[in-house]
Amino acid sequence: MMMGVNSLKAFLILENGQVFEGQSFGSTRDAVFEMVFNTSMVGYLETMTDPSYAGQGLAMTYPLIGNCGVNKEDWESEKLWAEALIVKELSRFPSNFRAEGDLESLLIEWDIPGIEGIDTRMLTRIIRDQGAMNGVLTCNEDFDLDECIAKAKAYEVSGEVAKTGVQQVTESAESGIKIAVLDLGLKKSLANALRNRGCALDLYPYHTPAETILVSKPQGIFITNGPGNPKECDKLIATVKALCESGIPVFGIGLGHQLIALAMGGDTKRMKYGHHGSSNPVRDLAQDRVSITSQNHVYEVAMDSFKDGIAKMTHVNVNDNSCEGIAYLGTVVSGIQFHPVSSDGPTDTAFVFDSFLASIKEGTQNA
């Protein structure tokens, strides 16, 4: 993989009118996206290949990105999903012994634009103070500010779930605990966590009817992480509701957790700037134990939206008290907001998969 360097200026325009000028790298095409920041010190490649980042412009708060190069073994999926990459400084000469190439050349290959040399601390503070907002990245020095602001304000992360998961049913050839996976953007690390525990995963596209999944007689149902606003997925919510009413243990992560909440009569809401990174502290209320987790979400479940006797919060975010996990009373249905295992972060909470499998083996309901 050859290294590519261009000498163009680049401009990041936020929907609030703030303009950042820097140096272009990667693709030189214009991009419009939802602007988020990620606090991880490592794992930039795992992050960019996480389907949950589809439609988002990714600003890394760690100042030097790319020094480890790129390695296909680290990918969380088969493509790069982030719409753009924003960094303080790009390393064009990786020194890691595992490196198969450099980050900029990979971005050129996947037609993803980037900007370096801007004040990413200021950018992060703007998003933290004013809330998540959209942005435009362009190499056109004669850009029209009003036009760019209008493009940014009009943008929505929409329809991405149709792209991020499998496009056709993929049945496992392996033996083991039969898990039906409703794939909305499954990460490789999550799939491996289940397979390493003796599970055989049958993958289903987002549009699969509940009847098709249930007729295969799975022992458990896993609803994966994914991008976007859960309320956009009307048909998917109805499917999830039918799955939750089947009596088969159901477990959701990220977007899957949010869809379960909507299906069970709860509500979701947009956060000020969300959680993005691999250092989010979460308290397990049953064990009174805090773990560090990897997360990427802009929406959260509103715990106070449930009627009495429907749901019990199992995990809470230590920083802002937002809901991180729910068990649905009298059912074998549960969900968590965080990613219990992640190649770009900690594996402190991988035991939640063991709890899911225990509910399959024992058929125990949530008290």
Side-chain angles (χ1 to χ4, degrees):
M1 186 183 296
M2 299 298 293
M3 296 186 183
V5 179
N6 70 61
S7 58
L8 295 175
K9 291 182 179 180
F11 303 88
L12 172 63
I13 303 103
L14 301 181
E15 67 175 81
N16 68 353
Q18 181 83 37
V19 178
F20 292 86
E21 178 180 336
Q23 170 82 26
S24 169
F25 66 88
S27 170
T28 58
R29 70 171 176 85
D30 288 358
V32 187
F33 40 77
E34 180 179 63
M35 186 74 254
V36 301
F37 64 87
N38 184 291
T39 57
S40 300
M41 295 177 65
V42 296
Y44 52 84
L45 190 58
E46 291 90 339
T47 300
M48 294 197 71
T49 54
D50 177 354
S52 299
Y53 282 92
Q56 295 180 330
L58 177 61
M60 303 297 294
T61 60
Y62 191 71
L64 179 63
I65 299 296
N67 51 313
C68 293
V70 298
N71 186 313
K72 188 66 181 289
E73 185 180 342
D74 297 332
W75 292 30
E76 283 282 15
S77 67
E78 293 304 311
K79 65 171 289 185
L80 275 64
W81 291 102
E83 189 68 22
L85 181 63
I86 297 95
V87 302
K88 173 64 176 176
E89 181 181 352
L90 175 72
S91 173
R92 291 181 168 85
F93 302 96
S95 58
N96 189 278
F97 73 97
R98 295 177 64 248
E100 299 172 344
D102 67 289
L103 180 56
E104 181 174 24
S105 295
L106 183 67
L107 296 183
I108 292 173
E109 179 184 347
W110 285 89
D111 195 29
I112 297 174
I115 181 172
E116 67 168 320
I118 71 167
D119 189 340
T120 50
R121 288 188 65 188
M122 178 184 290
L123 174 62
T124 301
R125 291 188 66 174
I126 289 172
I127 298 172
R128 284 179 61 92
D129 293 343
Q130 300 182 29
M133 62 185 73
N134 297 332
V136 174
L137 183 58
T138 182
C139 293
N140 179 12
E141 296 187 36
D142 299 320
F143 66 87
D144 184 303
L145 179 59
D146 292 336
E147 182 180 324
C148 289
I149 292 174
K151 284 183 179 179
K153 288 184 175 180
Y155 180 79
E156 292 183 5
V157 179
S158 180
E160 296 293 344
V161 169
K163 308 172 187 175
T164 48
V166 292
Q167 299 302 304
Q168 59 185 12
V169 177
T170 305
E171 295 183 355
S172 174
E174 301 174 352
S175 59
I177 303 170
K178 188 179 178 66
I179 304 295
V181 179
L182 188 56
D183 185 2
L184 315 178
L186 178 63
K187 292 171 61 174
K188 181 174 67 175
S189 57
L190 299 180
N192 288 342
L194 287 169
R195 291 189 176 111
N196 291 341
R197 287 167 168 78
C199 295
L201 308 184
D202 293 338
L203 307 182
Y204 293 89
Y206 78 101
H207 53 74
T208 307
E211 296 79 10
T212 301
I213 297 174
L214 296 175
V215 77
S216 68
K217 297 183 179 179
Q219 295 170 264
I221 298 170
F222 175 42
I223 306 174
T224 77
N225 56 289
N229 183 350
K231 290 182 180 178
E232 178 189 81
C233 309
D234 293 341
K235 293 183 179 179
L236 194 48
I237 294 169
T239 297
V240 171
K241 181 176 177 61
L243 296 176
C244 291
E245 292 174 347
S246 68
I248 298 172
V250 178
F251 179 52
I253 287 179
L255 179 62
H257 155 71
Q258 296 166 8
L259 291 171
I260 290 174
L262 292 171
M264 300 293 282
D267 196 9
T268 58
K269 59 184 179 181
R270 187 180 177 91
M271 306 177 75
K272 184 175 181 180
Y273 51 83
H275 298 149
H276 314 276
S278 56
S279 56
N280 293 274
V282 170
R283 182 182 300 277
D284 183 324
L285 297 177
Q287 302 184 57
D288 194 24
R289 180 173 73 177
V290 174
S291 300
I292 303 303
T293 68
S294 177
Q295 301 189 26
N296 174 46
H297 62 105
V298 179
Y299 297 87
E300 65 171 319
V301 174
M303 195 63 203
D304 58 3
S305 63
F306 291 102
K307 293 180 180 179
D308 291 343
I310 298 295
K312 174 180 69 175
M313 185 158 66
T314 57
H315 299 79
V316 63
N317 189 284
V318 174
N319 290 334
D320 59 15
N321 293 319
S322 60
C323 174
E324 295 279 3
I326 297 176
Y328 294 90
L329 304 178
T331 75
V332 278
V333 178
S334 61
I336 55 174
Q337 183 61 69
F338 53 91
H339 295 186
V341 293
S342 183
S343 296
D344 65 331
T347 58
D348 297 20
T349 52
F351 62 85
V352 299
F353 286 117
D354 299 321
S355 299
F356 173 48
L357 297 181
S359 71
I360 293 174
K361 296 175 181 178
E362 300 168 10
T364 54
Q365 293 189 332
N366 297 313

